[in-house]
Amino acid sequence: MFNIIKMDLYKMFKSKTFYIMSIILIILILSFAILIKTTLSLNYDMAKEANFIYSVGDNTLNPSVQSPEEYYAIQKEIKSSVTVDDFIMIQYASSIMLIVMAAFIAKFVCSEWDTGFVKNIIPLNGSRVSLVVSKNIIVLLFVLIEGIISIFVAMGSNVLVSGKVSILDFKGIIIYIGLQILLQMAFASLMILISYLFRSKSVTISIGILLGMNVHAMILNQLDKLINIANIEISNLSIINNIRILEFSSEPEIYKRVIIISTAYFLLYNILSLFRVKRVEVN
Amino acid sequence: MGEYILKTENLTKVYGTTRALSRINIEVKQGEIYGLIGQNGAGKTTLLKMISGLGFPTEGAVYLFGENASTNGSLLERIGVLIEVPGLYPDLRPYDNLKLKYIAYGMNTKEYTQSILEQVGLAGVEKKKVKKLSLGMKQRLGIALALIGEPDLLLLDEPINGLDPQGIIEIRDMLLKLNKEKGVTIIISSHILEELSKIATRFGIIHEGELVEEINKEELLEKTKDRLEITTNDIERAVAVLEDNLNIHNLQVIDNNTIYVYERLEESGDINNELLKCGIKVNSLSVNRESLEEYFISLTGGRKRV
């Protein structure tokens, strides 16, 4: 098993996919900062026309702001109040990290099958199990690297918007990223399963994008309206919903739910992947 | 069972309603080069997949090195495979593709990688990306990958596909060298039957999922013995002259113009003279041997593509 993990690590760092996905991720999450900076720097008249005049503290429209001076003073205050914490939360809640990860998994896992390289490995004793375990380790590494990129890009974004690095709650960031990594790994195990089921990059990426964009939320919300069992909301059991609703100072119950849900999904999807890979015939 | 490196027992594979393999029993001894012959879709690739663990039989068993392969997974590690297309990452270099398999097999010998590339005639292209290699080069690289781990049994499905004549000779020599010097047992399928006949020591003929015949080279040579091929426009009189005047009875009329004679081949000049003396014009007369392809067609019935 250790050798298969080493092989996958070699492949990960030798192939362009890893570097391309990392660059795409940096560009996409950095675009949030550019967007925020642009929005906060809007010309007063344009801002008023576009209903972009916001009060400090929350994002509700504030028609009481009348003069450009007052507007710009508020803009400056908003800029200076933006922290690294905010950017990290935007990055994770936006699903961009999920979609980039889904693309990486689709390419990494499916290429092994569509190139036929897996034929060289399957004769190894225990290789079918090792392949699944190894993919999880590679994806964990990718998610950790995503997390590090997220922190650095959030710091850069903070400098871009407010000219300084401001961290409100360092411990909170660590807990938040830790829980997000758990949820991301649960989502990753689903994407690995989909890769093994379809062995097609395009199908896996398409499903990854749809799930990442939370398209299934509509169905879950309808189910919530139809079924009401012991006050359990089905949508609360969704990985994506939990990724989106998780905050820095969420209730302990939410933290607990995230840990249980992500662990359960991670185990379930990996068991299904193992069943699939152990039974699949190599074409 | 000890002398056999591979033995299959009633190996059967069913896909839905299609029976791809039906109760196949083959035996391959250590050191043999076993040629697998069959038309497209006959079941050759399916059989190789079942042996290598890439597929699962519906019924039956595969015995490798005297043990049931389904109960001892490590036996498959002694097999090198090249089935259908070479499994290569197109965006990586040949060296990296080889290294990936080395790592998976717990080996890490840079010199060995170089020597294996030289062995298959790929030295000098190791820095090119695989997608920039020709089809023949990819095929050689596929064979190189199959050789990693120093397998005792090599399963090669159409390994000379896409190779030029020089490449075919090089691969043939390489396989013969591996077989002779390292004692590697090889199972090879190819639709170029004449090429197969040059290296295989034993043949298995598969037709519509069934093993029609297993035959060794000596038996095949006996069955595909030399013959005198006579072509003439007067076939009936020619047969009469051969039988009545020359007392030749071991002959076969192939078509309206061709007769095969299987005796007195060393007297071809006398036969020709006798036919001419009787006023029969002989268009051609030559001593030939039945090819493996012709033998295969006679067994499976019909001139189909193999």
Side-chain angles (χ1 to χ4, degrees):
Chain A
M1 185 179 291
F2 183 63
N3 289 330
I4 303 254
I5 295 167
K6 265 170 69 181
M7 177 195 77
D8 272 343
L9 280 171
Y10 184 82
K11 190 179 93 182
M12 179 181 174
F13 290 113
K14 271 284 166 187
S15 64
K16 280 186 203 158
T17 315
F18 166 69
Y19 303 101
I20 292 171
M21 291 301 164
S22 301
I23 290 167
I24 290 174
L25 180 70
I26 291 169
I27 293 169
L28 289 175
I29 58 179
L30 200 60
S31 67
F32 288 125
I34 296 161
L35 196 71
I36 291 168
K37 188 176 164 69
T38 313
T39 309
L40 290 176
S41 309
L42 277 178
N43 176 287
Y44 172 73
D45 294 329
M46 274 173 64
K48 198 172 178 186
E49 204 174 309
N51 281 347
F52 270 152
I53 298 173
Y54 300 114
S55 64
V56 184
D58 59 31
N59 281 351
T60 53
L61 199 65
N62 186 354
S64 65
V65 178
Q66 294 299 322
S67 70
E69 291 73 23
E70 195 182 349
Y71 170 74
Y72 287 119
I74 291 169
Q75 295 290 78
K76 205 175 166 185
E77 206 175 329
I78 294 171
K79 273 185 187 182
S80 65
S81 70
V82 174
T83 62
V84 170
D85 313 39
D86 298 326
F87 282 108
I88 286 175
M89 216 164 81
I90 292 168
Q91 287 163 10
Y92 275 101
S94 69
S95 294
I96 280 174
M97 293 172 87
L98 284 183
I99 292 168
V100 170
M101 182 179 65
F104 172 76
I105 292 171
K107 181 79 168 61
F108 195 81
V109 180
C110 296
S111 66
E112 199 164 59
W113 295 79
D114 58 29
T115 60
F117 188 84
V118 74
K119 283 187 277 194
N120 298 304
I121 308 303
I122 288 291
L124 275 172
N125 197 16
S127 59
R128 289 175 186 259
V129 175
S130 304
L131 282 171
V132 177
V133 174
S134 169
K135 296 301 168 290
N136 275 283
I137 289 170
I138 294 299
V139 175
L140 175 63
L141 189 65
F142 185 77
V143 169
L144 290 172
I145 292 169
E146 266 193 333
I148 294 166
I149 288 174
S150 160
I151 294 170
F152 281 105
V153 173
M155 285 175 171
S157 302
N158 202 184
V159 172
L160 197 70
V161 173
S162 39
K164 61 180 180 183
V165 175
S166 165
I167 297 171
L168 210 62
D169 178 7
F170 184 74
K171 194 182 159 196
I173 288 177
I174 300 297
I175 293 169
Y176 178 82
I177 291 179
L179 291 171
Q180 283 291 359
I181 285 172
L182 282 180
L183 288 164
Q184 300 250 330
M185 282 310 293
F187 183 77
S189 59
L190 172 62
M191 295 317 299
I192 291 171
L193 173 63
I194 290 167
S195 301
Y196 284 134
L197 282 176
F198 297 101
R199 287 182 276 166
S200 155
K201 286 187 205 104
S202 49
V203 171
T204 309
I205 292 174
S206 305
I207 295 175
I209 291 172
L210 291 174
L211 290 177
M213 288 168 72
N214 210 9
V215 171
H216 58 295
M218 286 181 288
I219 303 165
L220 295 180
N221 290 338
Q222 289 305 313
L223 281 174
D224 274 337
K225 283 178 192 168
L226 288 170
I227 310 161
N228 194 353
I229 311 163
N231 293 327
I232 295 173
E233 287 189 24
I234 294 168
S235 52
N236 282 346
L237 304 177
S238 148
I239 299 171
I240 317 297
N241 266 1
N242 279 283
I243 285 174
R244 291 190 167 187
I245 61 173
L246 191 66
E247 289 177 358
F248 279 88
S249 48
S250 295
E251 296 292 313
E253 279 70 34
I254 292 179
Y255 286 165
K256 212 158 79 181
R257 190 179 73 203
V258 164
I259 292 168
I260 292 169
I261 283 174
S262 50
T263 310
Y265 281 127
F266 179 80
L267 291 174
L268 173 72
Y269 293 139
N270 271 303
I271 289 166
L272 292 173
S273 287
L274 283 172
F275 271 118
R276 169 69 179 160
V277 175
K278 284 202 91 170
R279 294 169 66 92
V280 76
E281 301 210 351
V282 184
N283 295 321
Chain B
M1 196 169 288
E3 62 181 306
Y4 292 107
I5 206 164
L6 166 73
K7 197 168 179 175
T8 67
E9 203 175 82
N10 295 327
L11 205 63
T12 303
K13 180 68 184 177
V14 180
Y15 294 107
T17 54
T18 311
R19 211 171 175 84
L21 287 180
S22 186
R23 303 175 72 81
I24 298 276
N25 295 297
I26 64 165
E27 292 172 343
V28 181
K29 286 181 183 167
Q30 184 155 15
E32 274 186 342
I33 298 182
Y34 190 97
L36 213 49
I37 305 169
Q39 297 163 4
N40 287 336
K44 305 184 299 285
T45 305
T46 309
L47 175 62
L48 293 178
K49 283 183 180 173
M50 300 299 119
I51 296 169
S52 58
L54 300 181
F56 307 109
T58 311
E59 282 171 39
V62 175
Y63 292 92
L64 286 167
F65 314 102
E67 281 185 69
N68 192 329
S70 65
T71 55
N72 184 355
S74 62
L75 295 172
L76 294 173
E77 293 183 10
R78 294 167 67 185
I79 295 180
V81 293
L82 168 60
I83 293 179
E84 289 180 324
V85 289
L88 304 164
Y89 286 116
D91 291 326
L92 296 182
R93 300 172 302 161
Y95 176 83
D96 295 320
N97 273 281
L98 292 175
K99 188 156 183 188
L100 283 172
K101 193 170 172 189
Y102 273 121
I103 297 171
Y105 273 71
M107 304 160 81
N108 196 5
T109 47
K110 196 176 176 180
E111 298 77 25
Y112 190 48
T113 311
Q114 197 56 40
S115 97
I116 216 159
L117 282 170
E118 280 168 16
Q119 220 176 338
V120 294
L122 284 179
V125 297
E126 61 266 37
K127 286 183 181 168
K128 265 189 180 178
K129 282 195 174 171
V130 166
K131 63 183 172 191
K132 294 194 174 161
L133 300 181
S134 68
L135 185 65
M137 284 176 168
K138 285 179 191 166
Q139 205 69 15
R140 288 169 197 230
L141 188 56
I143 295 174
L145 268 169
L147 292 175
I148 289 176
E150 305 200 335
D152 296 312
L153 174 63
L154 208 51
L155 304 180
L156 305 173
D157 187 20
E158 304 282 0
I160 51 175
N161 258 6
L163 294 183
D164 53 32
Q166 183 61 30
I168 291 174
I169 294 167
E170 283 171 16
I171 294 296
R172 184 208 305 155
D173 291 345
M174 187 193 80
L175 294 177
L176 287 170
K177 197 175 165 192
L178 272 170
N179 177 254
K180 278 183 187 151
E181 292 180 3
K182 296 192 176 176
V184 178
T185 308
I186 301 168
I187 300 180
I188 179 169
S189 83
S190 174
H191 67 279
I192 306 172
L193 301 187
E194 288 310 305
E195 190 51 42
L196 208 55
S197 68
K198 286 177 187 161
I199 60 168
T201 52
R202 193 167 166 78
F203 302 89
I205 299 172
I206 294 186
H207 184 58
E208 292 176 352
E210 290 183 8
L211 186 69
V212 179
E213 187 170 29
E214 242 184 343
I215 184 169
N216 64 36
K217 197 164 190 172
E218 290 72 35
E219 289 168 332
L220 184 73
L221 286 173
E222 177 58 31
K223 288 194 177 182
T224 58
K225 58 192 177 194
D226 287 348
R227 68 196 174 207
L228 185 66
E229 288 183 18
I230 303 168
T231 60
T232 174
N233 294 332
D234 198 351
I235 204 93
E236 280 180 21
R237 281 184 61 219
V239 171
V241 168
L242 290 169
E243 286 182 342
D244 301 339
N245 299 9
L246 295 165
N247 201 25
I248 292 172
H249 297 286
N250 191 0
L251 56 82
Q252 193 181 1
V253 177
I254 301 302
D255 54 37
N256 290 338
N257 300 95
T258 317
I259 308 167
Y260 287 174
V261 175
Y262 295 101
E263 59 182 293
R264 293 167 65 180
L265 304 187
E266 68 285 357
E267 297 170 35
S268 58
D270 295 341
I271 294 171
N272 190 27
N273 284 338
E274 186 63 28
L275 288 168
L276 290 171
K277 209 164 74 181
C278 295
I280 300 164
K281 190 187 169 198
V282 175
N283 297 331
S284 70
L285 187 143
S286 59
V287 176
N288 289 318
R289 175 182 286 274
E290 188 179 16
S291 68
L292 179 56
E293 188 170 5
E294 285 164 319
Y295 180 70
F296 170 79
I297 289 163
S298 72
L299 266 183
T300 58
R303 190 167 284 276
K304 291 177 186 170
R305 200 173 154 241
V306 292

